[in-house]
Amino acid sequence: MSDLLIEAEKDYTGEFLKAKKVQRTKSFLKGVLFLLPSIILFSVFLFYPLFKTIYLSFFLTDSSGATTVFVGMNNFKAIFTSPLFLKSLEVTFLFVLYTVPGTVIVSLFLAVLANEKLRGIGIFRTIFSSTMGISVAAASVFWMFLFHPTIGWLNQILELFGVEAIGWLTDPDWALISVSLSTIWMNVGFTFLILLGGLQSIDSYLYESADIDGASYFYKLRRITIPMLSPTLFFVITVSFINAFQTFGQVDMLTRGGPQNETNVIVYSIYQEAFMNYQHGAASAQAIILFVIILLLTLVQFKLGERKVHYQ
Amino acid sequence: MQHVEMIDLEKSYDNQKNVLNGINLAIEEGEFFVLVGPSGSGKSTLLRMIAGLEDITGGILKINDKVVNHLRPKDRNLSMVFQNYALYPHLTVEQNILFGLHAKKVEKKEQQKRLIETAEMMGLTELLKRKPKQLSGGQRQRVALARSVVSHAPLCLMDEPLSNLDAKLRAHMRIEIRRLQKKLGLTMIYVTHDQVEAMTMGDRIMVLNDGKIQQVGDPITLYNEPANLFVASFIGSPKINLGTAVIRDHHLIIEDSIHIPITTSDIGNIIQKDDLTIGIRAEHIFHGEEDKKTHELEVINVEHLGNETLLTFEIGKELWTAKWLGQWRARVGDKVPVKISVEHMSFFDSKTTELIKPASNTAKEQEVVAI
Ligand SMILES: Nc1ncnc2c1ncn2[C@@H]1O[C@H](COP(=O)(O)OP(=O)(O)OP(=O)(O)O)[C@@H](O)[C@H]1O
Ligand SMILES: [Mg+2]
């Protein structure tokens, strides 16, 4: 009798497992079905090019990009001994160093200002975020006029104060700073908007409570605003970081990597290598290195950020 | 000494209709003062005006006999507990409690002393290192209280601090807050929409409706002598029984269905004969023993509360409730004898809703005992 019972139970568990398995397969298939469009898109436009790039980086190519000779790691070796590439690496890091803190600090400042409840603040919010709607090309043309050595406003203003004119885009000491300046200006719109959104989602009760406690403006900024904004700040920093590493448009428009390769950031160097020198293999190797750098730095950021960022 | 005084206080948002009108009020030092009213009556607005978080549109606000209309919140020397506690989610309990002292640059030693003292009082010693989201509702509430206590401000404002808690915890916190207030000698202005909370906690209660003061007084006075129909029906649970009434031929006729003979001694100085509304509390509709019953009413609902029984009757178009001590095995449809007498009725003018004459016999059977 008892044996029978146990047997019956065993049977049931088996059937349960089977039913569960069927259900799991079903939901897995459903999930895949939902993911299919993005899987296809990613495969075509992301994974395929990625693997193709890795593949190419081990070869020499002809001018059309077809592989000719397998050279193994030679492309990478050549790159790391090339002073040109090391220079562009240095330039890129400097560029990131200038633009990321610059963008975040300026937009944070503007966002804090624009978050005040004042009459007509909407106008300022629109102005501050408006650079988001301007294309890199248009913005570059606009800055080209500002930077113009003789008729540019910047030099005219300097002249007004009796300062010698600066070759903004032609002086090797200034070119990278000028490009960084225009990049900060272009990125501020987007960053500002995100930060303002973050600020507005902070509960006003917290500030009221702090008011009653007698906290000063800067105390509130330091103890409430910045910590509560930290997830948004983290997001904005990560995105700006990746963007800065991938900058191309304004360099191409403003300086073409010059003067003396002072603004030859990696992406521009890749472009030159591939489409001017037709060295697709070497260009691919550079692209892989850029990818690895961004990946590693982003991972480091996440590791560091985890401890500092406060999520609700 | 008068701690907080309001003279003709007014408030309107964006030049629209006033949400508060002609608020005249004086709150004594060390008093537990409760502001009660339905949703949207302007309680929070009034509290926030006292705190300095809202501009005052008109009138004068005095704290400690000084006009403070123009002072910022931090210069008013008060503390506030917000309805949603307003704890800083990124700070630990300890940092939350010390936030204000830190901002005011109170000495480190003094900070620690007050922290330990307050944490002990609130039973938070074990929780100091936690973040608010790791606390239960009641614990968060205590942190919010601790934050206001630690400031040693003599005036404490609370905006519906118990509304998020379950019934049991709420009953417990009511006692805790009350005890704390007495112990520290705080002047408390406490906002609630719960009349039970108001009745059980307040030294004095102010009933607010539609931005106007309806009545100010101690809980018993509000219960026994409500100034108008609004206060009468707002205070007390179950709700007071109301019915329109007229006086004809020495009879009081309620809702055209109950006739009660009256003498001049019953109605005293009432000269008005029409447009009356009478109110009678549920505990004043007694069970009528054989010889003493005045009416027989049909039961349409019975609620057993354990030690009390609530019976509902239909009087004209009104539903009346009687509260009888003990467990009564009445069934729906039964006709039960009741005793209703004029001496327990309050008379209101139906048109102005003002009180004409309070119930003459409350003290005798209700036994307001002075200890
Ligand atoms: N910022 C505001 N702008 C315009 N009107 C407001 C504002 N705040 C409150 N009011 C209005 O003022 C009136 C009183 O609001 P208040 O918040 O004081 O009500 P309350 O008595 O606290 O209600 P509750 O019990 O629901 O909290 C309401 O009619 C509300 O719509
Ligand atoms: Mg409110």
Side-chain angles (χ1 to χ4, degrees), chain A residues 119 202-217 219-230 307-312, chain B residues 48 51 53-54 73-75 78-80 82-91 95-96 98-104 131 133 147 151 157 159:
Chain A
R119 193 188 290 256
I202 300 178
D203 204 335
S204 64
Y205 280 113
L206 299 184
Y207 292 109
E208 289 178 347
S209 175
D211 278 338
I212 290 175
D213 277 342
S216 68
Y217 180 81
Y219 190 77
K220 282 187 280 184
L221 194 68
R222 192 162 57 81
R223 293 290 303 274
I224 302 175
T225 310
I226 302 293
M228 294 297 287
L229 199 61
S230 59
R307 265 182 282 141
K308 297 265 177 217
V309 173
H310 153 78
Y311 291 102
Q312 282 276 22
Chain B
R48 291 167 57 82
L53 299 171
E54 292 294 347
K74 65 171 175 179
D75 301 322
L78 47 79
S79 63
M80 182 159 173
F82 288 81
Q83 180 162 3
N84 58 3
Y85 312 149
L87 299 181
Y88 305 110
H90 57 290
L91 301 180
Q95 289 166 326
N96 260 292
L98 290 179
F99 188 92
L101 300 186
H102 211 269
K104 283 190 211 118
K131 294 268 176 74
K133 72 171 170 202
R147 228 169 38 167
S151 71
L157 312 177
D159 194 352

Side-chain angles (χ1 to χ4, degrees), chain A residues 98-108 183-184 187-188 191 195 240:
Chain A
Y98 293 160
T99 53
V100 174
T103 308
V104 172
I105 289 169
V106 171
S107 357
L108 182 63
T183 305
I184 290 174
N187 291 347
V188 154
T191 320
L195 288 179
S240 311

Side-chain angles (χ1 to χ4, degrees), chain B residues 107-325:
Chain B
E107 213 183 312
K108 273 266 150 53
K109 247 194 219 147
E110 173 72 13
Q111 281 189 23
Q112 283 308 315
K113 197 183 122 231
R114 286 204 214 170
L115 172 71
I116 292 166
E117 191 184 279
T118 316
E120 222 148 72
M121 193 187 324
M122 297 289 163
L124 290 170
T125 320
E126 310 287 305
L127 307 172
L128 287 179
K129 294 288 172 244
R130 296 223 199 146
K131 294 268 176 74
K133 72 171 170 202
Q134 297 164 320
L135 301 177
S136 74
Q139 290 166 338
R140 277 180 216 182
Q141 151 93 58
R142 276 184 279 163
V143 178
L145 279 175
R147 228 169 38 167
S148 85
V149 168
V150 86
S151 71
H152 286 192
L155 174 60
C156 181
L157 312 177
M158 293 196 179
D159 194 352
E160 307 201 22
L162 305 185
S163 56
N164 300 346
L165 305 184
D166 67 59
K168 208 167 144 200
L169 196 53
R170 197 182 309 182
H172 175 68
M173 289 310 293
R174 276 207 292 254
I175 299 168
E176 290 272 305
I177 292 177
R178 187 64 221 215
R179 201 166 63 185
L180 193 74
Q181 179 261 344
K182 282 278 168 281
K183 187 164 146 198
L184 302 178
L186 299 174
T187 306
M188 177 78 79
I189 306 180
Y190 186 100
V191 164
T192 177
H193 63 256
D194 180 353
Q195 56 93 18
V196 177
E197 221 166 276
M199 293 286 286
T200 50
M201 296 177 84
D203 289 327
R204 274 197 307 158
I205 299 175
M206 172 170 120
V207 182
L208 201 63
N209 186 32
D210 234 353
K212 289 188 204 68
I213 297 183
Q214 303 297 313
Q215 191 172 4
V216 182
D218 62 280
I220 295 297
T221 309
L222 255 61
Y223 191 78
N224 290 344
E225 294 169 30
N228 54 38
L229 282 173
F230 178 81
V231 178
S233 53
F234 193 80
I235 300 284
S237 167
K239 227 176 90 185
I240 195 168
N241 301 306
L242 297 175
T244 52
V246 290
I247 297 175
R248 295 274 183 279
D249 301 335
H250 303 289
H251 272 77
L252 182 69
I253 305 166
I254 304 167
E255 291 284 337
D256 287 333
S257 63
I258 291 187
H259 295 246
I260 301 174
I262 45 173
T263 59
T264 33
S265 68
D266 281 331
I267 50 170
N269 52 354
I270 302 179
I271 24 174
Q272 192 175 338
K273 301 276 186 255
D274 299 301
D275 287 330
L276 290 168
T277 301
I278 63 99
I280 181 165
R281 296 277 175 197
E283 63 271 24
H284 291 149
I285 301 178
F286 301 99
H287 178 246
E289 274 110 43
E290 272 318 304
D291 48 337
K292 286 188 193 149
K293 74 173 181 192
T294 55
H295 300 86
E296 279 209 345
L297 298 173
E298 192 184 321
V299 178
I300 63 164
N301 190 31
V302 186
E303 289 174 48
H304 294 284
L305 302 181
N307 61 341
E308 288 167 344
T309 309
L310 297 183
L311 298 120
T312 312
F313 310 109
E314 199 166 11
I315 310 288
K317 56 187 188 314
E318 297 284 335
L319 291 181
W320 280 19
T321 308
K323 184 158 78 175
W324 292 354
L325 209 60

Side-chain angles (χ1 to χ4, degrees), chain A residues 3-16:
Chain A
D3 282 7
L4 249 172
L5 252 175
I6 289 170
E7 236 176 52
E9 266 172 24
K10 251 187 202 160
D11 257 350
Y12 276 128
T13 36
E15 259 169 51
F16 282 148

